[in-house]
Structures are given as structure tokens and as C-alpha cells.
Amino acid sequence: RSSDLIPIGIIVSLLICFVAYFGVSASLTLMMPYYLLNRSSPLPEAFKYVNWDPARYVVAVGSLCALSTSLLGSMFPMPRVIYAMAEDGLLFKALAKIHSRTKTPLIATIVSGIVAALMAFLFELKDLVDLMSIGTLLAYTLVAVCVLILRYQPDQLNSLKGCSVPMNGLEAEKQAMYPKSPEEGTPAKFALRCLFVPAKSFPTDVSGQIVYCCVSLISIVFTVLCVILSLKLTALVDGHSGWILTCVILVVISAVITVVIWRQPESEVRLSFKVPALPLLPIFSVFVNLYLMMQLDAGTWARFGVWMLIGFAIYFGYGIRNSVEGQNRIKASPIYHKADPTTLKETSVV
């Protein structure tokens, strides 16, 4: 089953990559002292250090092949990503056009190639690597945040009460995935005790909003903490009481928020694979990613900010109004009605 094999394949692939990188790093430090390594080309210099000069050329050829493969592997899926976003309405529809003969997204391929060429022409390699690093870390952070939020949200089918949504013959399967609770009839109301003692044993709108707020708050706390750890590490090592007290307060606040999230009921949706150790593992992932992002220089953050502004301008100027998913959710809402011009009565379109 693909639903079982895909997560296993991802984990095994990550383990293989970790072992490969770890093995190469260990071999380098065993071949020569780490402080003598050439950061630009460590492997060829290490072989030269142990008098294996012919191996330098083998490593250089392998590096060129690996770099070319990595570039092609990065550029090949980009037009497909742009095509998928354009098909969903988040990007301009022209990017979703398929060439009649090659059956590929031709315009998306040309646009992504031009953008990649301009970026390579305008910026140094180090700047592009740092920009890619901060974008990757942000993506991993968003994935961890989404996993943390979605696992504590009420079921989507239960939130569509009052709507006439066709099941298309999958009612039994959906009922099995979204089991109903006998306590589902009465809506929950917010109270302070709900932070640690939820009113229901299943996710509700109140518990979902609590998790939303807690995740947003702990992200802000982690950001401040990571900034302090990055900029004031010397003061912390020297025992500056003010910064140490600030870090302790932020850690305590983070621990309290983590407990609040942990106390909220999880979704009972049956999935083939779920992230374990909730909420500790996603929260730890968010903290590590934010800390690594804070290690990057100010120039990388400035370029990242400009790139994000361009993305926000496209999304809020075009994507948010043309999103297919957003239009479907509006049409599925029970308050979406269309007036009948003949009878002047409001009739539901869903």
C-alpha cells in the first residue's frame, strides 16, 4: 500500500542520506585535522594530505556530476510546482497552459528557467545557498506548524453541518475515517479551565482555536528566544543575569504553552501514518529551524524579505481572489445563497 510504503520510503531515504553525510564527515576528520581542511574543497585536499593524489581527480569529477544532477533535479520539478499553483488559481492562469505537442507546461518551464538564470547572474553562490537555506528552513517550520495545528482541529465533515454535501458513494469510508462521538451534540464554550481541562473528549472549535493561539504565541516566543541566543550568546556564557533571566522566563512560557497544547484533545481521524511524540516533536522542530534561521546574516534576511514581499504581492493581489480552493469553500458554506430572479426567494446552491 502506497499510504504505508511512502512514509517508510521517506524515512529510509533520510536515514541513508544521514549515514552518507555522517560517514564522509567522519572520514575527513580521520584523514586530517579538521582545522586544516579547505572549506571550499575538503575532499580533494584530504586525499592530497594522505598522498592519494589521483583520488583528487576522481572526487572532482564526481562533484561535478553530483552538482549537475542536483541542479537538474531542482529545476525539473519547479515548472510542475508553478503549473500546479497556477492550476489552483494561486498564480497566473497563463502559467498553467500545456503545450499541445510536448504535453508539458511550456510557459512555466521558460519562466522558471529565466528566473533561475537571473538569480544566478545577479547573486554570488554563497548568497544563493543562504537564500535557499532560509527558504528550506521556513518550509520545514511551516510543515511542523501545520502538523501541530491540524492534529487538534475538529473533523472537516463535522464542520459542514447544515450543508447538503454529496458523498459520491464514499459515505461509509468517510464515516469510518471521521467517527462521530456521542458528546457531539452540545457545542463547547471557552473558559479558562479549558486550557488545561478541555470540556470535550474530542476536538471542538474552541480547542482548535486554543491550539491556533498557542502555536502562534509559542512561535513568537521561540523567535525572541532564538534572537537572544544568536546575538547574546557571549553574554549568556559570561553569566549576564539579565539575559539569563530573560531566557529562563521565555523557556517557562514555552513549557506552559506546550502543556496547554498537550492537554487539548487530538483528532480521531484514522490515518495510515501520523507524526509521533505530539506535540513535542513538531515544537522541537520549529525551535531548531528558527534557531538555524537566526544564524544567517542580515543580507540573507534582507533578500529573503524582498522575495517574501514579491510573493505576498502576488498572493494578495491575485491568488487570494482566484484560488480554486477558496471558491470551493465559499460555495460549500451554508450561508452561500443565490437569489432566484423568478420567485425572488433565496435558494441554496449547495
Side-chain angles (χ1 to χ4, degrees), residues 2 68 84 87 106 108 114 123 132 152 199 205 216 218-219 231 239 243 275 291 300 304 314:
S2 59
S68 302
E87 188 73 14
L106 180 61
I114 292 175
F123 298 102
M132 182 186 69
Y152 292 96
D205 292 335
S216 302
I218 200 172
S219 299
L231 301 180
W243 292 115
V275 175
Y291 179 76
T300 301
F304 176 71
I314 295 175

Side-chain angles (χ1 to χ4, degrees), residues 163 325-336 348-350:
C163 301
E325 180 67 21
Q327 294 175 0
N328 290 339
R329 296 189 67 173
I330 292 175
K331 292 180 180 179
S333 174
I335 61 173
Y336 180 79
S348 174
V349 297
V350 296

Side-chain angles (χ1 to χ4, degrees), residues 142-213:
L142 293 177
V143 170
V145 168
C146 291
V147 168
L148 189 58
I149 290 176
L150 292 177
R151 286 282 290 275
Y152 292 96
Q153 297 305 309
D155 300 335
Q156 295 297 321
L157 291 183
N158 294 340
S159 65
L160 294 177
K161 295 175 183 177
C163 301
S164 176
V165 180
M167 290 294 186
N168 296 328
L170 299 177
E171 183 174 0
E173 180 181 351
K174 292 185 178 181
Q175 290 297 331
M177 290 180 59
Y178 300 89
K180 293 184 178 181
S181 172
E183 305 176 0
E184 195 176 344
T186 58
K189 295 182 179 180
F190 176 76
L192 289 178
R193 66 187 302 271
C194 293
L195 296 177
F196 298 97
V197 183
K200 304 288 184 179
S201 61
F202 56 89
T204 61
D205 292 335
V206 173
S207 64
Q209 290 298 323
I210 290 176
V211 174
Y212 266 124
C213 297

Side-chain angles (χ1 to χ4, degrees), residues 176-254:
M177 290 180 59
Y178 300 89
K180 293 184 178 181
S181 172
E183 305 176 0
E184 195 176 344
T186 58
K189 295 182 179 180
F190 176 76
L192 289 178
R193 66 187 302 271
C194 293
L195 296 177
F196 298 97
V197 183
K200 304 288 184 179
S201 61
F202 56 89
T204 61
D205 292 335
V206 173
S207 64
Q209 290 298 323
I210 290 176
V211 174
Y212 266 124
C213 297
C214 288
V215 171
S216 302
L217 184 58
I218 200 172
S219 299
I220 297 174
V221 172
F222 278 168
T223 302
V224 176
L225 180 60
C226 291
V227 170
I228 295 175
L229 292 177
S230 299
L231 301 180
K232 300 297 180 181
L233 184 59
T234 304
L236 292 172
V237 173
D238 294 339
H240 193 284
S241 58
W243 292 115
I244 293 177
L245 180 61
T246 303
C247 291
V248 170
I249 293 175
L250 293 175
V251 170
V252 171
I253 294 174
S254 302

